Amino acid sequence: MAQEEVIIARETANLSGMVRVSGAKNSALKLIAAAILGQGKSTLRNIPAISDIDIMCEVLERLGATVERGEHELIIDTAPVESFETPYELVTKMRASISVLGPLVGRFGQARVAMPGGCQIGARNIDMHLVGMQELGVEFSVDHGNLVATTPNGLHAGTILLDFPSVGATETTMMAACVAQGTTTIDNAAREPEIEDLANMLNAMGAHIEGAGSSTIVIEGVPLDQMHPCDHVTVGDRIEAGTFLGGGVLLGGPLTVEGIDPSYLRMALTKLSAMGADVQVGDDFVTVSRTLPLQATDIQTLPHPGFPTDLQAQFMLLAALANGSSIVTENVFENRFMFAAEICRMGADVLIDEHHAVVTGVDRLQGAPVESTDLRAGAALVLAGLAAEGETIVRHIQHIDRGYEDYVGKLVSLGACVERATIDFAAL
Ligand code: EPZ
């Protein structure tokens, strides 16, 4: 019997009400790594209860840290950390563990981290992380699948120009540069809100970082012993917020997401309006509703403040039910259209040509068994099942659990006909 846990989504007339988003996964994972530089007990709040956080906490514990877990808080004592080697099986399980590379080199002058694998959406190279760190005096070698970092002449400031505004490369070099002697500049830096969140935490720990959130970040290195623990609240998850807002526009709303800074979602909200949604924003909430038919709208994913690649699948779903044809261009990852193949099983009309997808709206989608290929596609497939006639079974939901806290529970609170179930898939 091939028993597996799935999400079953059934046709839902509307999604409406209010949902509070969790803390940002793509910030919290790096904040946990940055705590290594605090050399004491840091408190991190508004941490999402998702499986990626569990893995990152395990990485820290294997390095020697102690982690006390509240429902959405972590108290991480990194004073006991004395290892700079991460467990191979954990890093290969979650590539985001590479985030410990910068802090470990900052604290110990060396590190041994498993080479992170690729994933379904792309090769996920780390060449820009390495080039940035080499500018700071780090030397790398590869030893049986592990990346070995050393600083034979010490960690020093550098001038870094990133080929591409890579989120991870910006974070890695920023964390190491905090304690590198001298003034480091990172040009063509990523501008995602999570970068600012990380810089705010590092500054609360004693670092001197300016310009985070812009393309040029300047870091005045401080001695390691001047870095200290902190108490930091993670920003809200803009991608989780955008996912629920997409659901509200898909089915009508009014739907409000709370706990998010609307300025993080400017481009996505602009596109929702272009598709026919009514969008209201407040200090920490966004409300969407739609009475007009969905209108085709082109999107192209770009580094922030451009359209976020992590909302591409959610918007392709809206386009699949819009009047007319939309062109969706994926510029950030080389293989992030697998969602299209899944909604085509449900009757969508999507033609892929390299990194362009031509999405021609249809009147209805039909429920079908579909597979999550990455966490954002998985979340979008559940929304597709709510809009489709009949029943949709979403498989491989472990992807969704990596990045969405209580996704089904939050959708049910908004009126969705959706449930988790364990089924024998072979019997379908
Ligand atoms: C972060 O990944 C996020 N993950 C991703 O979210 C997000 O899609 C991405 O930023 C872009 O916003 C986390 O924060 C854990 P990049 P990251 O470095 O840091 C290539 C999700 O769904 N590249 O900006 O890996 C890379 O392969 C995930 O939550 C290199 O070639 O993103 C990609 O094609 C998915 N060499 C592009 O650049 C490098 O050294 C952007 O990568 C680094 C990146």
Side-chain angles (χ1 to χ4, degrees):
M1 285 275 276
Q3 294 278 315
E4 68 176 276
E5 192 177 23
V6 298
I7 289 176
I8 302 176
R10 296 181 179 89
E11 186 171 1
T12 297
N14 190 4
L15 272 190
S16 61
M18 192 285 287
V19 66
R20 186 162 192 81
V21 293
S22 302
K25 164 178 90 79
N26 292 346
S27 180
L29 292 172
K30 293 58 167 299
L31 303 179
I32 294 169
I36 291 169
L37 291 168
Q39 306 153 79
K41 269 195 178 185
S42 290
T43 300
L44 300 181
R45 303 177 192 280
N46 198 28
I47 296 287
I50 54 177
S51 58
D52 269 9
I53 294 294
D54 300 337
I55 297 173
M56 196 52 133
C57 289
E58 200 178 338
V59 171
L60 265 284
E61 286 169 332
R62 297 280 286 275
L63 290 169
T66 59
V67 181
E68 290 170 59
R69 300 200 61 170
E71 197 187 351
H72 294 109
E73 287 79 34
L74 297 175
I75 300 177
I76 307 178
D77 186 356
T78 62
V81 172
E82 51 190 31
S83 165
F84 47 80
E85 298 195 20
T86 56
Y88 196 88
E89 76 280 3
L90 283 182
V91 178
T92 47
K93 200 160 132 185
M94 181 184 68
R95 56 179 312 286
S97 330
I98 190 74
S99 301
V100 298
L101 172 64
L104 287 176
V105 169
R107 179 151 171 195
F108 298 106
Q110 57 184 324
R112 185 183 172 88
V113 185
M115 294 293 282
C119 69
Q120 294 254 36
I121 64 178
R124 312 298 294 273
N125 296 326
I126 57 167
D127 53 303
M128 287 185 267
H129 297 241
L130 307 186
V131 167
M133 294 286 271
Q134 284 159 347
E135 281 295 316
L136 304 181
V138 182
E139 293 181 13
F140 289 101
S141 59
V142 178
D143 173 27
H144 297 91
N146 286 293
L147 183 68
V148 180
T150 56
T151 49
N153 304 312
L155 197 63
H156 57 71
T159 300
I160 294 149
L161 173 60
L162 294 175
D163 283 1
F164 175 92
S166 153
V167 171
T170 302
E171 292 164 339
T172 294
T173 44
M174 187 165 75
M175 287 191 274
C178 280
V179 289
Q181 192 175 1
T183 302
T184 294
T185 303
I186 306 174
D187 277 318
N188 199 21
R191 298 171 53 188
E192 274 69 3
E194 293 76 31
I195 304 278
E196 276 187 85
D197 195 28
L198 175 59
N200 289 338
M201 176 181 164
L202 290 165
N203 283 341
M205 294 166 72
H208 294 163
I209 302 171
E210 292 184 3
S214 78
S215 296
T216 299
I217 301 176
V218 179
I219 302 123
E220 188 67 46
V222 299
L224 176 63
D225 61 11
Q226 281 184 24
M227 295 290 281
H228 51 78
C230 72
D231 185 322
H232 183 81
V233 182
T234 315
V235 295
D237 193 316
R238 61 193 166 96
I239 304 303
E240 183 190 9
T243 304
F244 284 113
L245 292 169
V249 172
L250 181 68
L251 295 174
L255 188 152
T256 298
V257 292
E258 278 190 344
I260 186 67
D261 177 343
S263 69
Y264 293 176
L265 284 163
R266 271 178 56 206
M267 182 61 80
L269 298 181
T270 301
K271 292 297 181 181
L272 287 177
S273 303
M275 297 186 96
D278 176 57
V279 179
Q280 308 289 330
V281 300
D283 290 344
D284 77 336
F285 71 87
V286 179
T287 300
V288 293
S289 59
R290 180 175 64 82
T291 51
L292 303 170
L294 282 167
Q295 295 305 315
T297 302
D298 296 345
I299 61 163
Q300 58 164 329
T301 69
L302 285 167
H304 193 78
F307 189 91
T309 173
D310 294 347
L311 288 178
Q312 183 248 99
Q314 298 89 322
F315 273 69
M316 185 181 283
L317 170 58
L318 293 173
L321 289 164
N323 288 337
S325 290
S326 308
I327 296 178
V328 177
T329 305
E330 173 56 54
N331 295 308
V332 177
F333 288 102
E334 64 267 29
N335 184 34
R336 202 171 195 176
F337 279 144
M338 290 159 297
F339 169 75
E342 296 305 308
I343 53 168
C344 285
R345 294 176 199 263
M346 301 173 72
D349 176 354
V350 184
L351 291 176
I352 307 287
D353 171 18
E354 303 256 316
H355 62 275
H356 297 288
V358 179
V359 187
T360 302
V362 296
D363 290 338
R364 294 302 306 272
L365 294 175
Q366 300 106 30
V370 291
E371 295 189 7
S372 304
T373 49
D374 69 87
L375 72 155
R376 308 305 174 186
L381 283 170
V382 175
L383 296 179
L386 301 180
E389 57 191 358
E391 178 178 281
T392 295
I393 294 178
V394 181
R395 303 179 65 196
H396 305 167
I397 60 173
Q398 69 278 9
H399 289 294
I400 301 173
D401 294 337
R402 285 187 50 202
Y404 288 88
E405 177 180 342
D406 191 20
Y407 189 51
V408 167
K410 289 177 178 176
L411 285 172
V412 167
S413 74
L414 295 166
C417 302
V418 63
E419 61 176 325
R420 294 177 81 103
T422 300
I423 64 169
D424 172 12
F425 196 72
L428 274 182

